[in-house]
Amino acid sequence: MGTQGFRTLNEESLIEYIKATPALCSQLGDQVEGLTIKEVGDGNLNFVYIVVGPNGSFVIKQALPYIRCIGESWPMTKERAYFEALALKEHGRLCPNHVPEVYHFDRPMSLIAMRYLKPPHIILRKGLIAGVEYPLLADHMSDYMANTLFFTSLLFRSTLEHKRSVAEFCGNVELCRLTEQVVFSDPYRDAQYNRWTSPYLDNDAEEIRHDDTLKLEVAGLKSMFCERAQALIHGDLHTGSVMVTTDSTQVIDPEFAFYGPMGFDIGAYLGNLILAFFAQDGHADQVNDREKYKHWILTTLRETWNLFENKFISLWNKHQDGKGEAYLASIYNTTKLHLLVQKKYMKDLFHDALGFGSAKMIRRIVGVAHVEDFESITDASKRAQCERRALNLAKLLLKERRGFDSIDQVIASIQEFSSC
Amino acid sequence: MGTQGFRTLNEESLIEYIKATPALCSQLGDQVEGLTIKEVGDGNLNFVYIVVGPNGSFVIKQALPYIRCIGESWPMTKERAYFEALALKEHGRLCPNHVPEVYHFDRPMSLIAMRYLKPPHIILRKGLIAGVEYPLLADHMSDYMANTLFFTSLLFRSTLEHKRSVAEFCGNVELCRLTEQVVFSDPYRDAQYNRWTSPYLDNDAEEIRHDDTLKLEVAGLKSMFCERAQALIHGDLHTGSVMVTTDSTQVIDPEFAFYGPMGFDIGAYLGNLILAFFAQDGHADQVNDREKYKHWILTTLRETWNLFENKFISLWNKHQDGKGEAYLASIYNTTKLHLLVQKKYMKDLFHDALGFGSAKMIRRIVGVAHVEDFESITDASKRAQCERRALNLAKLLLKERRGFDSIDQVIASIQEFSSC
């Protein structure tokens, strides 16, 4: 797709666009006068407008044909909006409680209109930095991951549906390449945009660039990311892609969606929870030592994986006589064998998640894009100490992940690194 | 694609078709009178015509919209001809010495015109049954596999090229499904078309349907087959897909081609050589005990893998600074690390090949499609003995493949099973 039919909207032209688009008017209860329009995007990747009228509201997201990054222009196809809309619709169908509804998509304009997640919805990452507990988060996120991953895998789908959908999402290749570069490549070499808390982590970053075992493992993960079409994954499932209130959890921004390894989503999410955990010491003060909150994060981590595993297995059991072609009921035909294949599948998935999660942690500390969890710690020496603990845990997990049998063992390691 | 523009040709209408097709006339030196036309297809999958004129020749292959199998109709998209032509052209570009040239492709007609492989070219499988030694076979087949697999993988290609090509070949899904069924599913369950040398192998076939460890391993291989787009594989690289003379080796019939795991091709080929080995005792007679030939097959097996490994590594070394995105030179930047990643890659590939090769051996003994190597042994008891040895080796290899470090160890196991 070229730029034909594309024009960047501003608040004024957006109103004209809304008036000319029946799906949007109807979403506003056909009351298009007296709209409040607020641009809330960070301006780096997309324009995001909140549109509120007397009888309805929505969010408009328009992708720009580039990413402004570190002050420099980084071209990036605006076609990503197409794949984002596609993934929102597909994941929304599979998990409507945790994915905002898409009201309208305009491909030439790279424009998505979707449900406005009203206050008090905030980005989960900000909640984690503020130390807010979300009692339903583990339940909701395990729901989201189990449903979106199971139902788009060959455990549920026929090869015919699977390959058709895989082919379509192959078109999102530019976003895949971006991940390959910033997650699997740049942190392990000298790269222009790499940064870290210097000078404290200079040696740590250097060590990563000379760690042969780590590089060997990362190569295996990168190959899996590039080659293995296991399920329709979100592709960027960090805590900045989740909006929350105490009783609502909504996953947004799947512009990196494609058919990839399930462990990439699960690992991204768990890895970012672990980063949030290691950042807590940097947020502690005399009023709140954050120990209770650290405990809550670890409990959430444990529950997220354990609930995910249970829900995924339940879906598998429920649909084991369906059209999914991975494990035909006529072959895997005894309870013993059925349990055996499920155990192996979940163990492999757990190890994939630990591997990808670790890679995502590492890249957030020595790569181009950092996380606010650490960035908001103003004392650089304290920040570096938090980051180093996370980095060391990630390196261990990435290399030794096949030796971990349960999330409890991971949590024990986190606690060990947290106190050293 | 529907049936629009499709009609089944016969010898008469083929002549009219040739006359109306400039590319074919030109291949005949524009001498389209006095043609000899001979139908040589087995009539089950395709019509195959050899067309010879005074000044040129070619083969015409037309796919039919079904496979006749065991006397019953089995519908199968004729679009497979499109993917066959695509693969012939791509593999032919990468390895012109061992892939027949495509002169013309007509998509609505599902018709490919390609180089006629003149006598004394015969199907390799028939040569192996006859006990003919091919001194260049290992060299040629290792060439074919190294070139077609390396150059269509991410070791050579950019993600951009890779995903585009992967998406295209997702269209060949019906043929992939056929493989999934006949290789990875049917042998492990009661299935209508399964057969074996009964009653001799009744227990052996039964055991396979109740072997939990085997089924667990086969599930892993099936997932890899369905999900892992590692390279453009032939998809059906048995010894019946290779035509040979003493100094020519030509790989034909890639209608199952798609982006799948490299080990599937390598395993299919090596596995079929091993079947040829185990069939030799059934072909032995008082004139020729076949011991020398069995030795030659094992030597060929050893050389095929070892030459493949060397050539593949050489291509990798030669192109390590190219556009391939799997192992960037800026990361894998020391000789030691480069050797380390290559060693791991080749070891994994070896194990994949052993796994897939074993699955291919098993399915040829207890599944729907058998091999002439065994079928031509008329004494059923003798045939069953040969088949059982192959089956037992295949079961061992499939389950224990990760314990094998070299092709020599595999050969030692083959010899062990051969004498029991």
Side-chain angles (χ1 to χ4, degrees):
Chain A
M1 307 288 286
T3 53
Q4 213 179 12
F6 180 82
R7 61 204 157 92
T8 308
L9 292 177
N10 55 34
E11 304 196 6
E12 202 174 334
S13 55
L14 177 58
I15 292 183
E16 295 314 309
Y17 183 88
I18 291 167
K19 287 181 178 170
T21 309
L24 297 181
C25 294
S26 120
Q27 201 57 45
L28 295 170
D30 290 313
Q31 178 54 269
V32 295
E33 302 302 325
L35 301 181
T36 316
I37 296 189
K38 202 169 125 196
E39 212 283 304
V40 296
D42 53 12
N44 278 339
L45 280 94
N46 308 287
F47 281 115
V48 181
Y49 296 98
I50 294 169
V51 179
V52 178
N55 297 326
S57 65
F58 48 76
V59 159
I60 294 280
K61 183 171 175 181
Q62 185 177 35
L64 303 176
Y66 54 84
I67 292 176
R68 261 190 245 117
C69 191
I70 326 175
E72 212 155 313
S73 169
W74 188 329
M76 183 51 57
T77 173
K78 63 185 178 55
E79 266 295 272
R80 64 187 187 274
Y82 171 72
F83 296 102
E84 176 170 356
L86 214 56
L88 279 172
K89 286 181 206 168
E90 179 66 5
H91 284 170
R93 197 176 59 78
L94 299 171
C95 193
N97 290 341
H98 304 300
V99 179
E101 193 185 343
V102 173
Y103 301 137
H104 168 70
F105 175 60
D106 182 335
R107 191 164 182 176
M109 288 288 281
S110 303
L111 181 150
I112 304 172
M114 68 185 103
R115 181 185 155 203
Y116 168 39
L117 299 167
K118 297 196 181 82
H121 275 104
I122 60 166
I123 293 288
L124 172 58
R125 194 186 297 287
K126 293 187 188 287
L128 293 167
I129 293 167
V132 182
E133 294 186 15
Y134 296 96
L136 299 176
L137 183 63
D139 187 37
H140 289 173
M141 285 305 292
S142 57
D143 247 11
Y144 170 81
M145 295 192 292
N147 281 283
T148 57
L149 299 178
F150 176 81
F151 286 113
T152 59
S153 78
L154 284 164
L155 294 174
F156 178 74
R157 281 195 176 157
S158 73
T159 300
L160 216 63
E161 294 169 283
H162 192 73
K163 284 224 192 285
R164 193 185 304 129
S165 201
V166 168
E168 168 117 58
F169 277 93
C170 275
N172 205 15
V173 56
E174 285 201 40
L175 279 281
C176 290
R177 286 187 75 199
L178 183 57
T179 300
E180 287 168 33
Q181 182 186 335
V182 300
V183 176
F184 299 107
S185 298
D186 284 353
Y188 305 94
R189 62 178 173 182
D190 283 312
Q192 191 184 355
Y193 296 129
N194 282 349
R195 62 186 182 86
W196 51 84
T197 302
S198 186
Y200 307 97
L201 298 185
D202 288 358
N203 285 339
D204 303 76
E206 176 83 7
E207 267 176 40
I208 282 175
R209 293 196 298 271
H210 293 92
D211 188 330
D212 283 2
T213 313
L214 201 63
K215 288 177 171 187
L216 188 68
E217 288 296 337
V218 166
L221 292 170
K222 185 178 179 183
S223 287
M224 208 196 293
F225 181 83
C226 295
E227 294 173 350
R228 187 171 183 195
Q230 194 179 18
L232 177 59
I233 66 174
H234 178 285
D236 196 27
L237 193 58
H238 55 78
T239 51
S241 297
V242 182
M243 295 199 74
V244 284
T245 67
T246 313
D247 43 35
S248 166
T249 306
Q250 304 291 328
V251 178
I252 59 170
D253 290 351
E255 56 200 317
F256 285 83
F258 78 114
Y259 275 78
M262 296 179 180
F264 191 77
D265 268 8
I266 304 165
Y269 182 67
L270 298 183
N272 273 269
L273 280 186
I274 297 173
L275 292 180
F277 172 88
F278 281 105
Q280 293 303 318
D281 285 353
H283 306 316
D285 55 29
Q286 287 178 319
V287 180
N288 186 345
D289 65 4
R290 297 279 182 134
E291 287 305 318
K292 184 168 162 287
Y293 195 61
K294 282 164 72 177
H295 181 76
W296 178 81
I297 295 180
L298 293 186
T299 302
T300 299
L301 192 67
R302 177 189 294 111
E303 284 182 359
T304 305
W305 170 262
N306 287 339
L307 286 171
F308 166 79
E309 183 169 47
N310 288 339
K311 289 172 185 181
F312 194 90
I313 291 281
S314 293
L315 289 173
W316 188 340
N317 289 339
K318 191 173 162 191
H319 296 280
Q320 67 173 300
D321 296 319
K323 63 191 183 320
E325 295 193 55
Y327 297 88
L328 302 177
S330 52
I331 301 173
Y332 301 91
N333 52 359
T334 65
T335 308
K336 184 177 156 240
L337 181 56
H338 191 62
L339 288 172
L340 196 67
V341 297
Q342 288 185 333
K343 198 176 158 192
K344 174 155 191 311
Y345 193 99
M346 297 316 290
K347 190 176 143 192
D348 288 346
L349 184 51
F350 184 60
H351 293 158
D352 291 351
L354 294 183
F356 286 119
S358 306
K360 298 279 266 180
M361 290 167 69
I362 292 170
R363 75 100 158 194
R364 292 295 195 176
I365 297 167
V366 300
V368 51
H370 286 228
V371 288
E372 199 184 330
D373 309 68
F374 291 133
E375 297 296 286
S376 59
I377 302 167
T378 46
D379 177 337
S381 141
K382 195 187 274 185
R383 186 196 323 138
Q385 192 187 30
C386 295
E387 289 175 323
R388 183 178 292 120
R389 289 169 176 167
L391 199 58
N392 287 336
L393 171 80
K395 283 163 63 176
L396 173 89
L397 273 185
L398 210 158
K399 294 182 203 178
E400 307 290 342
R401 64 190 184 278
R402 294 175 196 87
F404 286 81
D405 289 329
S406 71
I407 191 74
D408 285 331
Q409 289 175 359
V410 176
I411 288 169
S413 283
I414 293 172
Q415 285 171 318
E416 218 170 280
F417 279 87
S418 167
S419 57
C420 66
Chain B
M1 307 288 285
T3 53
Q4 212 178 14
F6 179 83
R7 59 202 159 94
T8 307
L9 291 177
N10 55 34
E11 304 196 6
E12 200 173 334
S13 55
L14 177 58
I15 293 184
E16 295 314 308
Y17 183 87
I18 292 167
K19 287 182 178 169
T21 309
L24 295 181
C25 295
S26 120
Q27 201 55 45
L28 294 171
D30 291 313
Q31 178 54 271
V32 295
E33 302 301 326
L35 301 183
T36 315
I37 296 188
K38 202 170 125 196
E39 212 282 305
V40 296
D42 54 13
N44 278 339
L45 281 94
N46 309 289
F47 280 115
V48 181
Y49 296 98
I50 295 169
V51 178
V52 179
N55 296 327
S57 65
F58 47 75
V59 159
I60 294 280
K61 182 171 175 182
Q62 185 175 35
L64 303 178
Y66 53 83
I67 292 175
R68 260 189 247 118
C69 190
I70 327 174
E72 213 155 314
S73 169
W74 188 329
M76 184 50 56
T77 174
K78 65 186 178 51
E79 265 296 271
R80 64 187 188 273
Y82 171 70
F83 296 103
E84 176 170 357
L86 214 57
L88 279 171
K89 287 181 207 169
E90 180 64 5
H91 284 170
R93 196 176 61 77
L94 299 171
C95 193
N97 290 341
H98 303 299
V99 179
E101 194 185 344
V102 172
Y103 300 136
H104 168 71
F105 175 60
D106 183 334
R107 190 163 182 176
M109 289 287 283
S110 303
L111 181 152
I112 305 171
M114 68 185 103
R115 183 185 153 203
Y116 169 37
L117 299 168
K118 297 196 180 84
H121 276 102
I122 59 165
I123 292 290
L124 171 58
R125 193 185 298 285
K126 292 185 188 291
L128 293 167
I129 294 167
V132 182
E133 294 187 14
Y134 297 97
L136 300 176
L137 183 65
D139 187 36
H140 288 173
M141 285 304 292
S142 57
D143 247 11
Y144 170 81
M145 294 192 293
N147 281 284
T148 57
L149 299 178
F150 177 82
F151 286 112
T152 60
S153 79
L154 285 164
L155 294 174
F156 178 75
R157 283 196 173 156
S158 73
T159 300
L160 216 63
E161 294 170 282
H162 192 72
K163 283 222 193 286
R164 193 185 305 128
S165 200
V166 168
E168 168 118 58
F169 276 94
C170 276
N172 205 15
V173 56
E174 284 201 39
L175 279 281
C176 290
R177 285 187 77 199
L178 183 58
T179 300
E180 288 167 34
Q181 182 186 334
V182 299
V183 176
F184 299 107
S185 298
D186 284 352
Y188 305 94
R189 62 178 172 181
D190 283 311
Q192 190 184 355
Y193 297 129
N194 282 350
R195 62 186 181 88
W196 52 83
T197 301
S198 185
Y200 307 98
L201 298 185
D202 288 359
N203 285 339
D204 303 74
E206 175 84 6
E207 265 175 42
I208 283 175
R209 293 195 298 271
H210 294 91
D211 188 331
D212 283 3
T213 314
L214 201 63
K215 288 177 172 188
L216 188 68
E217 289 296 336
V218 165
L221 292 169
K222 184 178 178 182
S223 288
M224 206 195 295
F225 180 83
C226 295
E227 294 174 349
R228 187 172 184 193
Q230 193 179 19
L232 178 59
I233 66 174
H234 178 285
D236 196 27
L237 193 57
H238 56 76
T239 51
S241 297
V242 182
M243 295 198 73
V244 284
T245 68
T246 313
D247 43 33
S248 165
T249 306
Q250 304 291 328
V251 178
I252 59 170
D253 291 350
E255 56 200 317
F256 286 83
F258 78 113
Y259 275 78
M262 296 179 180
F264 191 76
D265 268 8
I266 304 165
Y269 182 66
L270 299 183
N272 274 269
L273 280 186
I274 297 173
L275 292 181
F277 172 89
F278 280 105
Q280 293 303 319
D281 286 352
H283 306 315
D285 55 29
Q286 286 178 322
V287 181
N288 186 345
D289 67 1
R290 297 282 182 132
E291 287 305 317
K292 183 166 164 286
Y293 195 61
K294 283 164 72 177
H295 181 76
W296 177 81
I297 294 179
L298 293 186
T299 303
T300 298
L301 192 68
R302 178 188 294 111
E303 285 182 358
T304 305
W305 171 262
N306 288 339
L307 286 171
F308 166 78
E309 183 170 48
N310 289 339
K311 289 172 186 183
F312 194 90
I313 291 281
S314 293
L315 290 172
W316 189 340
N317 291 337
K318 191 173 164 191
H319 296 280
Q320 66 174 301
D321 296 319
K323 61 191 185 321
E325 295 194 56
Y327 296 88
L328 301 177
S330 52
I331 300 173
Y332 301 91
N333 51 0
T334 66
T335 308
K336 183 175 156 242
L337 181 54
H338 191 62
L339 288 173
L340 195 67
V341 296
Q342 288 185 333
K343 198 177 157 194
K344 176 159 190 307
Y345 193 99
M346 297 315 289
K347 190 176 142 192
D348 289 345
L349 184 51
F350 184 60
H351 293 158
D352 292 351
L354 295 183
F356 286 120
S358 305
K360 300 279 266 181
M361 290 167 68
I362 291 170
R363 74 99 159 196
R364 292 295 194 175
I365 298 168
V366 300
V368 52
H370 286 228
V371 288
E372 199 183 331
D373 310 66
F374 291 132
E375 297 296 287
S376 59
I377 301 168
T378 46
D379 179 337
S381 142
K382 195 186 273 183
R383 186 196 323 139
Q385 193 187 33
C386 295
E387 290 175 322
R388 182 178 292 119
R389 288 168 176 167
L391 198 59
N392 286 336
L393 171 80
K395 283 163 64 178
L396 173 89
L397 273 185
L398 210 158
K399 294 182 203 177
E400 307 290 341
R401 64 189 184 278
R402 295 176 196 87
F404 286 81
D405 289 329
S406 71
I407 191 74
D408 286 329
Q409 289 175 359
V410 176
I411 287 170
S413 284
I414 293 172
Q415 285 170 320
E416 215 170 284
F417 279 89
S418 166
S419 58
C420 67

